[in-house]
Amino acid sequence: MPSADPVLRKELFDLPEGLIYLNGNSLGPLPRHVPERLRRVVCDEWGKLLIRGWNLGCDGQGWVDLPARLGARIGRLIGAPEAAVVAGDSTTVNVVKALSAALELQRADAPGKLTVLSDSGNFPTDLYAAQELCRALGRGLRLKVVAPEEVADAIDEGVAALMLTEVDYRTGRRHDMAALTARAHQAGALAIWDLAHSAGAMPVDLAGADVDFAVGCGYKYLNGGPGAPAFIYAAPRLADRIAPAVAGWMGHAAPFAFEPAYRPAPGADRLRVGTPPILSMVALDAALDVWEGVDLAAVRARSLELSERFVARVEAACAGELELASPRDPNARGAQVSFRHPEGYAVMQALIAQGVIGDFRAPDLIRFGFAPLYLSAEEVDAAAAILARTLEARLWDDPRHRVRAKVT
């Protein structure tokens, strides 16, 4: 009997029976058809075609153009124009490419702009990349980090690039991408957005917001698997002018001409670098099949319903035990909710031991993601009840739950 839930597609995912998965904001689950797709590529293409797979793999489309084909599929989920997105590398590497390209454009057009502006809610890897890129490039470039609520007022004439993550990885707080991009442009700055917690969680409209650059990963809401390839976007109006600091043969205009000097490919293809990792790209390509025919506006509406349902039940059952760390207004957050608890790590380990998988972020946040393709209202209710029992009975107060694993 079909589900009454308008977006629930749990049958497409290989999730263990009885487990409630609230951590797709960190690693999406395995779509059922991905292993068979990988088997075919490994056994039938790599195994039998061998090097001919670069031209004949992927059902005759060739392995070599997977970054562009994947980019086109992801682009449709993030409101990008045709041929403006390529897949590959990690989010961190793509941050370096996007930011270095933006700074090089500004060096030519507005050399007096020397500040990269970001906020303290940004994911640390983005800040590390910006900090070290400014150091390596010199020229007086600097990274300025302000509180999230101070970003708009900090955009002044000295800002070369605004670099933000749309949805805060810790609390789910959401920036207004269109408004902040417009403000950056008014000040002559370029806007770079990290969509790691946005792509696949909610509608994104890069073209409508006139975003300059964007990056994101393939392993969270896109369900591409651990360490799945990331993606990078460059606005078409800029793409033929950009010169990122990281270049390689796959970003060359003629990779197999083997010319000694770099000559960038046209458009976003110049953002490609090295040989694409075909097996992980195929896994992501297969995973994206679950998005065919899905209305992202409906996904967004349902994720808000589920997260509000969870917050209401948790606060009713756990009064005084937890503090909501996410914005109270659901429209001001992404598809995740976080609570504070002084023993947050142990609380989460106790939940995981009972089959409710969320995660922990230091120093005291327990974090829950609401991905309605595979999460039902009944599971949300059950998770809230298990959390309440865990706190009431102090099930977290066990030495086993305090032992910190390397990955938290």
Coordinates of all heavy atoms in Angstrom, one line a residue, residues 154-239:
A154 N 29.3 43.8 8.3 CA 30.7 43.7 8.1 C 31.1 43.8 6.6 O 32.3 43.9 6.3 CB 31.3 42.5 8.8
I155 N 30.2 43.7 5.8 CA 30.5 43.8 4.3 C 30.7 45.2 3.9 O 29.8 46.0 3.8 CB 29.3 43.2 3.5 CG1 29.1 41.7 3.9 CG2 29.7 43.3 2.0 CD1 27.9 41.1 3.2
D156 N 32.0 45.6 3.8 CA 32.3 46.9 3.4 C 33.1 47.0 2.1 O 33.3 45.9 1.5 CB 33.0 47.6 4.6 CG 34.3 46.9 5.0 OD1 35.0 46.3 4.1 OD2 34.7 47.0 6.2
E157 N 33.7 48.1 1.8 CA 34.4 48.3 0.5 C 35.7 47.6 0.5 O 36.2 47.4 -0.6 CB 34.6 49.8 0.2 CG 33.3 50.6 0.1 CD 32.4 50.1 -1.0 OE1 32.9 49.8 -2.1 OE2 31.2 50.0 -0.8
G158 N 36.2 47.1 1.6 CA 37.5 46.4 1.6 C 37.3 44.9 1.4 O 38.3 44.2 1.2
V159 N 36.1 44.4 1.3 CA 35.9 43.0 1.2 C 36.0 42.6 -0.3 O 35.3 43.0 -1.1 CB 34.5 42.6 1.8 CG1 34.2 41.1 1.5 CG2 34.4 42.9 3.3
A160 N 36.9 41.6 -0.5 CA 37.1 41.1 -1.8 C 36.1 39.9 -2.1 O 35.5 39.8 -3.1 CB 38.5 40.6 -2.0
A161 N 36.0 39.1 -1.0 CA 35.1 37.9 -1.2 C 34.4 37.6 0.1 O 35.0 37.6 1.2 CB 36.0 36.7 -1.6
L162 N 33.1 37.3 0.0 CA 32.3 36.9 1.1 C 32.2 35.3 1.0 O 31.8 34.8 0.0 CB 30.9 37.5 1.0 CG 29.9 37.0 2.0 CD1 30.3 37.4 3.5 CD2 28.5 37.5 1.7
M163 N 32.6 34.6 2.0 CA 32.7 33.2 2.0 C 31.9 32.6 3.2 O 32.4 32.7 4.3 CB 34.2 32.7 2.0 CG 34.3 31.2 1.8 SD 36.0 30.7 2.2 CE 36.0 30.7 4.0
L164 N 30.8 32.0 2.9 CA 29.9 31.5 3.9 C 29.3 30.1 3.6 O 29.2 29.8 2.4 CB 28.7 32.5 4.1 CG 29.0 33.9 4.5 CD1 27.7 34.8 4.4 CD2 29.6 34.0 5.9
T165 N 29.0 29.4 4.7 CA 28.2 28.2 4.5 C 26.7 28.5 4.8 O 26.4 29.2 5.8 CB 28.7 27.1 5.5 OG1 30.0 26.8 5.2 CG2 27.8 25.9 5.4
E166 N 25.8 28.1 3.8 CA 24.5 28.6 4.0 C 23.8 28.1 5.3 O 23.1 28.8 5.9 CB 23.6 28.1 2.8 CG 22.2 28.6 2.8 CD 21.3 28.1 1.7 OE1 21.7 27.1 1.0 OE2 20.3 28.8 1.5
V167 N 24.1 26.8 5.6 CA 23.5 26.2 6.8 C 24.6 25.8 7.8 O 25.5 25.0 7.4 CB 22.6 25.0 6.4 CG1 22.1 24.3 7.7 CG2 21.4 25.4 5.6
D168 N 24.5 26.3 9.0 CA 25.6 26.1 10.0 C 25.6 24.6 10.3 O 24.5 24.0 10.7 CB 25.2 26.9 11.2 CG 26.3 26.9 12.3 OD1 26.8 25.8 12.6 OD2 26.6 27.9 12.9
Y169 N 26.7 24.0 10.2 CA 26.9 22.6 10.5 C 26.5 22.2 11.9 O 26.2 21.0 12.2 CB 28.3 22.1 10.1 CG 29.3 22.5 11.2 CD1 29.8 21.5 12.1 CD2 29.9 23.7 11.2 CE1 30.8 21.9 13.0 CE2 30.8 24.1 12.2 CZ 31.3 23.1 13.0 OH 32.2 23.5 14.0
R170 N 26.6 23.1 12.9 CA 26.4 22.8 14.3 C 24.9 22.9 14.7 O 24.3 22.0 15.2 CB 27.3 23.6 15.2 CG 28.7 23.4 15.0 CD 29.5 24.5 15.8 NE 29.2 25.8 15.3 CZ 29.7 26.9 15.8 NH1 30.6 26.9 16.8 NH2 29.3 28.1 15.3
T171 N 24.4 24.0 14.3 CA 23.0 24.4 14.8 C 21.9 24.3 13.7 O 20.8 24.4 14.1 CB 23.0 25.8 15.5 OG1 23.2 26.7 14.4 CG2 24.1 25.9 16.5
G172 N 22.3 24.3 12.5 CA 21.4 24.4 11.4 C 20.9 25.8 11.1 O 20.1 26.0 10.2
R173 N 21.4 26.8 11.8 CA 21.1 28.2 11.5 C 21.3 28.5 10.0 O 22.4 28.1 9.4 CB 21.9 29.2 12.3 CG 21.7 30.6 12.0 CD 22.8 31.5 12.4 NE 24.1 30.9 12.2 CZ 24.8 30.9 11.0 NH1 24.2 31.4 9.9 NH2 25.9 30.3 10.9
R174 N 20.4 29.2 9.3 CA 20.5 29.4 7.9 C 20.7 30.9 7.6 O 20.0 31.7 8.0 CB 19.2 28.9 7.3 CG 19.1 29.0 5.8 CD 17.8 28.6 5.3 NE 17.7 28.6 3.8 CZ 16.6 28.5 3.1 NH1 15.4 28.3 3.7 NH2 16.6 28.5 1.8
H175 N 21.7 31.1 6.7 CA 21.9 32.5 6.2 C 20.9 32.7 5.0 O 20.5 31.8 4.4 CB 23.3 32.6 5.6 CG 24.3 32.9 6.7 ND1 24.2 34.0 7.5 CD2 25.5 32.4 6.9 CE1 25.3 34.1 8.3 NE2 26.1 33.1 8.0
D176 N 20.6 34.0 4.8 CA 19.8 34.4 3.7 C 20.8 34.6 2.5 O 21.4 35.7 2.3 CB 19.1 35.7 4.0 CG 18.1 36.1 2.9 OD1 18.3 35.8 1.7 OD2 17.1 36.8 3.3
M177 N 20.9 33.6 1.7 CA 21.9 33.6 0.6 C 21.6 34.8 -0.4 O 22.6 35.5 -0.8 CB 21.8 32.3 -0.2 CG 22.8 32.2 -1.3 SD 22.5 30.7 -2.4 CE 23.1 29.5 -1.2
A178 N 20.4 34.9 -0.8 CA 20.1 36.0 -1.8 C 20.4 37.4 -1.3 O 21.0 38.2 -1.9 CB 18.7 35.9 -2.3
A179 N 20.0 37.6 0.0 CA 20.2 39.0 0.6 C 21.7 39.3 0.8 O 22.1 40.4 0.5 CB 19.4 39.1 1.9
L180 N 22.4 38.3 1.3 CA 23.8 38.6 1.6 C 24.6 38.6 0.3 O 25.6 39.4 0.2 CB 24.4 37.5 2.5 CG 23.9 37.6 4.0 CD1 24.3 36.4 4.8 CD2 24.4 38.9 4.6
T181 N 24.3 37.8 -0.7 CA 25.0 37.9 -2.0 C 24.7 39.3 -2.6 O 25.6 40.0 -3.1 CB 24.5 36.8 -3.0 OG1 24.8 35.6 -2.4 CG2 25.1 37.0 -4.3
A182 N 23.5 39.8 -2.5 CA 23.2 41.1 -3.1 C 24.0 42.2 -2.4 O 24.5 43.1 -3.0 CB 21.7 41.4 -3.0
R183 N 24.1 42.1 -1.0 CA 24.8 43.1 -0.3 C 26.3 43.0 -0.6 O 27.0 44.1 -0.7 CB 24.6 42.8 1.2 CG 25.1 43.9 2.1 CD 24.7 43.8 3.5 NE 25.1 44.9 4.3 CZ 24.3 45.7 4.9 NH1 22.9 45.6 4.8 NH2 24.7 46.8 5.7
A184 N 26.8 41.8 -0.8 CA 28.2 41.7 -1.2 C 28.5 42.4 -2.6 O 29.4 43.1 -2.8 CB 28.6 40.2 -1.3
H185 N 27.6 42.1 -3.5 CA 27.7 42.7 -4.8 C 27.6 44.3 -4.8 O 28.3 45.0 -5.5 CB 26.7 42.2 -5.8 CG 26.9 40.7 -6.2 ND1 26.0 40.0 -6.9 CD2 28.0 40.0 -6.0 CE1 26.5 38.8 -7.1 NE2 27.7 38.7 -6.5
Q186 N 26.8 44.8 -3.9 CA 26.7 46.2 -3.8 C 28.0 46.8 -3.3 O 28.3 48.0 -3.7 CB 25.6 46.6 -2.8 CG 24.1 46.3 -3.3 CD 23.1 46.4 -2.2 OE1 23.4 46.7 -1.0 NE2 21.9 46.1 -2.5
A187 N 28.7 46.0 -2.5 CA 30.0 46.5 -2.0 C 31.2 46.1 -2.9 O 32.3 46.4 -2.6 CB 30.3 45.9 -0.6
G188 N 30.9 45.5 -4.1 CA 31.9 45.1 -5.0 C 32.6 43.9 -4.7 O 33.7 43.6 -5.2
A189 N 32.0 43.0 -3.8 CA 32.6 41.8 -3.4 C 32.0 40.6 -4.2 O 30.9 40.7 -4.7 CB 32.4 41.5 -1.9
L190 N 32.7 39.5 -4.2 CA 32.2 38.3 -4.8 C 31.7 37.4 -3.7 O 32.3 37.4 -2.6 CB 33.3 37.6 -5.7 CG 33.7 38.4 -6.9 CD1 34.9 37.7 -7.6 CD2 32.6 38.6 -7.9
A191 N 30.7 36.5 -4.0 CA 30.1 35.7 -3.0 C 30.4 34.2 -3.3 O 30.1 33.8 -4.4 CB 28.6 36.0 -2.9
I192 N 30.9 33.5 -2.3 CA 31.2 32.1 -2.4 C 30.4 31.4 -1.3 O 30.4 31.7 -0.1 CB 32.7 31.8 -2.1 CG1 33.5 32.6 -3.1 CG2 33.0 30.3 -2.2 CD1 35.0 32.7 -2.7
W193 N 29.6 30.4 -1.7 CA 28.7 29.7 -0.8 C 29.0 28.2 -0.7 O 29.2 27.6 -1.7 CB 27.2 29.9 -1.2 CG 26.7 31.3 -0.9 CD1 26.8 32.3 -1.8 CD2 26.2 31.8 0.3 NE1 26.3 33.5 -1.1 CE2 25.9 33.1 0.1 CE3 25.9 31.2 1.6 CZ2 25.3 33.9 1.1 CZ3 25.4 32.0 2.6 CH2 25.1 33.3 2.4
D194 N 29.1 27.7 0.5 CA 29.2 26.3 0.8 C 27.9 25.7 1.0 O 27.1 26.1 1.9 CB 30.1 26.1 2.0 CG 30.5 24.6 2.2 OD1 29.7 23.7 1.8 OD2 31.5 24.3 2.9
L195 N 27.5 24.7 0.2 CA 26.1 24.1 0.2 C 26.1 22.7 0.8 O 25.2 21.9 0.6 CB 25.6 24.1 -1.2 CG 25.6 25.4 -2.0 CD1 25.0 25.1 -3.4 CD2 24.8 26.4 -1.3
A196 N 27.1 22.4 1.7 CA 27.3 21.1 2.2 C 26.0 20.6 2.9 O 25.6 19.5 2.8 CB 28.5 21.0 3.1
H197 N 25.3 21.5 3.6 CA 24.1 21.2 4.4 C 22.9 21.7 3.7 O 21.8 21.8 4.4 CB 24.3 21.7 5.8 CG 25.3 20.9 6.6 ND1 25.0 19.8 7.3 CD2 26.6 21.1 6.8 CE1 26.1 19.3 7.9 NE2 27.1 20.1 7.6
S198 N 23.0 22.1 2.5 CA 21.8 22.6 1.7 C 21.4 21.7 0.6 O 20.3 21.4 0.4 CB 22.2 24.0 1.2 OG 22.6 24.9 2.1
A199 N 22.4 21.3 -0.2 CA 22.1 20.5 -1.4 C 21.4 19.2 -1.1 O 22.0 18.4 -0.3 CB 23.4 20.2 -2.2
G200 N 20.3 19.0 -1.6 CA 19.5 17.8 -1.3 C 18.6 18.0 -0.1 O 17.8 17.1 0.2
A201 N 18.8 19.0 0.7 CA 18.0 19.2 1.9 C 16.9 20.2 1.7 O 15.8 20.2 2.4 CB 18.8 19.7 3.1
M202 N 17.0 21.1 0.7 CA 16.1 22.2 0.5 C 16.3 22.8 -0.9 O 17.4 22.6 -1.5 CB 16.3 23.3 1.5 CG 17.7 24.0 1.4 SD 18.0 25.2 2.7 CE 18.2 24.1 4.1
P203 N 15.3 23.5 -1.4 CA 15.6 24.2 -2.7 C 16.7 25.2 -2.6 O 16.8 25.9 -1.6 CB 14.3 24.9 -3.0 CG 13.2 24.1 -2.2 CD 14.0 23.7 -0.9
V204 N 17.6 25.2 -3.6 CA 18.7 26.2 -3.7 C 18.6 26.8 -5.1 O 18.3 26.1 -6.0 CB 20.1 25.5 -3.5 CG1 21.2 26.6 -3.7 CG2 20.2 24.9 -2.1
D205 N 18.7 28.1 -5.2 CA 18.6 28.8 -6.4 C 19.8 29.7 -6.7 O 19.8 30.9 -6.4 CB 17.3 29.6 -6.5 CG 17.1 30.3 -7.8 OD1 17.8 30.0 -8.8 OD2 16.1 31.0 -8.0
L206 N 20.9 29.1 -7.1 CA 22.2 29.8 -7.3 C 22.0 30.9 -8.4 O 22.5 32.0 -8.2 CB 23.3 28.8 -7.7 CG 23.7 27.8 -6.6 CD1 24.9 27.0 -7.2 CD2 24.2 28.5 -5.4
A207 N 21.3 30.6 -9.4 CA 21.2 31.5 -10.5 C 20.3 32.7 -10.0 O 20.6 33.9 -10.3 CB 20.6 30.9 -11.7
G208 N 19.2 32.4 -9.4 CA 18.3 33.4 -8.9 C 18.9 34.3 -7.9 O 18.6 35.5 -7.8
A209 N 19.8 33.8 -7.1 CA 20.5 34.6 -6.1 C 21.7 35.3 -6.6 O 22.4 36.0 -5.9 CB 20.9 33.7 -4.9
D210 N 22.1 35.0 -7.9 CA 23.2 35.6 -8.6 C 24.5 35.3 -7.8 O 25.4 36.1 -7.8 CB 23.0 37.1 -8.7 CG 23.9 37.7 -9.8 OD1 24.3 37.0 -10.7 OD2 24.3 38.9 -9.7
V211 N 24.6 34.1 -7.3 CA 25.8 33.6 -6.6 C 27.0 33.5 -7.6 O 26.8 33.1 -8.8 CB 25.6 32.3 -5.9 CG1 26.9 31.6 -5.5 CG2 24.6 32.5 -4.8
D212 N 28.2 33.9 -7.1 CA 29.4 33.9 -8.0 C 30.0 32.5 -8.0 O 30.3 31.9 -9.1 CB 30.4 34.9 -7.5 CG 29.8 36.3 -7.5 OD1 29.5 36.8 -8.6 OD2 29.7 36.9 -6.4
F213 N 30.2 31.9 -6.8 CA 30.8 30.5 -6.7 C 30.1 29.8 -5.6 O 29.6 30.4 -4.7 CB 32.3 30.6 -6.4 CG 33.2 31.3 -7.4 CD1 33.5 32.7 -7.3 CD2 33.8 30.6 -8.4 CE1 34.3 33.3 -8.2 CE2 34.6 31.2 -9.3 CZ 34.8 32.6 -9.2
A214 N 30.0 28.5 -5.8 CA 29.5 27.6 -4.8 C 30.2 26.3 -4.8 O 30.7 25.8 -5.8 CB 28.0 27.4 -4.9
V215 N 30.3 25.7 -3.6 CA 30.9 24.3 -3.5 C 29.9 23.5 -2.6 O 29.0 24.0 -1.9 CB 32.3 24.4 -2.8 CG1 33.2 25.3 -3.6 CG2 32.2 24.9 -1.4
G216 N 30.2 22.2 -2.6 CA 29.4 21.3 -1.7 C 29.9 19.9 -1.8 O 30.7 19.6 -2.7
C217 N 29.4 19.0 -1.0 CA 29.8 17.7 -0.9 C 28.7 16.7 -1.4 O 27.6 17.1 -1.5 CB 30.3 17.3 0.4 SG 29.0 17.1 1.7
G218 N 29.1 15.5 -1.8 CA 28.2 14.5 -2.3 C 27.8 13.5 -1.4 O 27.0 12.6 -1.7
Y219 N 28.3 13.5 -0.1 CA 28.0 12.4 0.8 C 27.0 12.6 1.9 O 26.7 11.7 2.7 CB 29.3 11.9 1.4 CG 30.2 12.9 2.1 CD1 29.9 13.3 3.4 CD2 31.3 13.5 1.5 CE1 30.6 14.3 4.0 CE2 32.0 14.4 2.1 CZ 31.7 14.8 3.4 OH 32.5 15.8 4.0
K220 N 26.5 13.8 2.0 CA 25.5 14.1 3.0 C 24.1 13.8 2.4 O 23.7 12.6 2.2 CB 25.6 15.5 3.5 CG 26.9 15.8 4.3 CD 26.9 17.2 4.8 CE 28.1 17.4 5.8 NZ 29.4 17.1 5.4
Y221 N 23.3 14.8 2.1 CA 21.9 14.6 1.6 C 21.9 14.0 0.2 O 20.9 13.5 -0.2 CB 21.2 15.9 1.7 CG 21.0 16.5 3.1 CD1 21.7 17.5 3.5 CD2 20.0 15.9 3.9 CE1 21.5 18.0 4.8 CE2 19.8 16.4 5.2 CZ 20.6 17.5 5.6 OH 20.4 18.0 6.9
L222 N 23.0 14.0 -0.5 CA 23.0 13.4 -1.8 C 23.3 12.0 -1.8 O 23.3 11.3 -2.8 CB 24.0 14.2 -2.7 CG 23.7 15.7 -2.9 CD1 24.7 16.3 -3.9 CD2 22.3 15.9 -3.4
N223 N 23.7 11.4 -0.6 CA 23.8 10.0 -0.4 C 24.9 9.3 -1.3 O 24.7 8.1 -1.6 CB 22.5 9.3 -0.6 CG 21.4 10.0 0.2 OD1 21.4 10.2 1.4 ND2 20.3 10.5 -0.6
G224 N 26.0 10.0 -1.6 CA 26.9 9.4 -2.5 C 27.9 8.5 -1.9 O 28.8 7.9 -2.6
G225 N 27.9 8.3 -0.6 CA 28.9 7.4 0.0 C 30.0 8.1 0.7 O 30.3 9.3 0.4
P226 N 30.7 7.4 1.7 CA 31.8 8.1 2.4 C 32.8 8.7 1.5 O 33.4 8.0 0.6 CB 32.4 6.9 3.2 CG 31.4 5.8 3.1 CD 30.6 6.0 1.9
G227 N 33.1 10.0 1.7 CA 34.1 10.7 0.9 C 33.7 10.8 -0.6 O 34.6 11.0 -1.4
A228 N 32.4 10.8 -0.9 CA 32.0 11.0 -2.3 C 32.5 12.3 -2.8 O 32.8 13.2 -2.1 CB 30.5 11.0 -2.3
P229 N 32.7 12.3 -4.2 CA 33.2 13.6 -4.8 C 32.3 14.8 -4.4 O 31.1 14.7 -4.2 CB 33.1 13.3 -6.3 CG 33.2 11.8 -6.4 CD 32.4 11.3 -5.1
A230 N 33.0 15.9 -4.3 CA 32.3 17.2 -4.1 C 32.0 17.8 -5.4 O 32.2 17.2 -6.5 CB 33.2 18.1 -3.3
F231 N 31.5 19.0 -5.4 CA 31.1 19.7 -6.6 C 31.5 21.2 -6.4 O 31.6 21.7 -5.3 CB 29.7 19.6 -7.0 CG 28.7 20.1 -5.9 CD1 28.3 21.5 -5.9 CD2 28.1 19.3 -5.0 CE1 27.4 21.9 -5.0 CE2 27.2 19.7 -4.0 CZ 26.9 21.1 -4.0
I232 N 31.6 21.9 -7.6 CA 32.0 23.3 -7.6 C 31.2 24.0 -8.7 O 31.0 23.4 -9.8 CB 33.5 23.5 -7.7 CG1 33.8 25.0 -7.6 CG2 34.0 22.9 -9.0 CD1 35.3 25.3 -7.4
Y233 N 30.7 25.2 -8.4 CA 29.9 26.0 -9.4 C 30.6 27.3 -9.6 O 31.1 27.9 -8.6 CB 28.5 26.2 -8.8 CG 27.8 27.4 -9.4 CD1 27.0 27.2 -10.6 CD2 27.8 28.7 -8.8 CE1 26.3 28.2 -11.1 CE2 27.1 29.7 -9.4 CZ 26.3 29.5 -10.6 OH 25.6 30.5 -11.1
A234 N 30.6 27.8 -10.8 CA 31.1 29.1 -11.2 C 30.0 29.7 -12.0 O 29.5 29.1 -13.0 CB 32.4 29.1 -11.9
A235 N 29.6 31.0 -11.7 CA 28.6 31.7 -12.5 C 29.1 31.8 -14.0 O 30.2 32.1 -14.2 CB 28.3 33.0 -11.9
P236 N 28.2 31.5 -14.9 CA 28.7 31.5 -16.4 C 29.3 32.9 -16.7 O 30.2 32.9 -17.6 CB 27.4 31.2 -17.1 CG 26.6 30.4 -16.2 CD 26.9 30.9 -14.8
R237 N 28.8 34.0 -16.1 CA 29.3 35.3 -16.5 C 30.8 35.5 -16.1 O 31.5 36.4 -16.6 CB 28.5 36.4 -15.9 CG 28.4 36.3 -14.3 CD 27.5 37.3 -13.7 NE 27.1 37.0 -12.4 CZ 27.9 37.1 -11.3 NH1 29.1 37.6 -11.5 NH2 27.5 36.7 -10.1
L238 N 31.3 34.6 -15.2 CA 32.6 34.7 -14.7 C 33.5 33.5 -15.3 O 34.8 33.6 -15.3 CB 32.7 34.6 -13.2 CG 32.0 35.7 -12.4 CD1 32.0 35.4 -10.9 CD2 32.6 37.1 -12.7
A239 N 32.9 32.4 -15.7 CA 33.6 31.2 -15.9 C 34.8 31.3 -16.8 O 35.9 30.7 -16.6 CB 32.7 30.1 -16.3

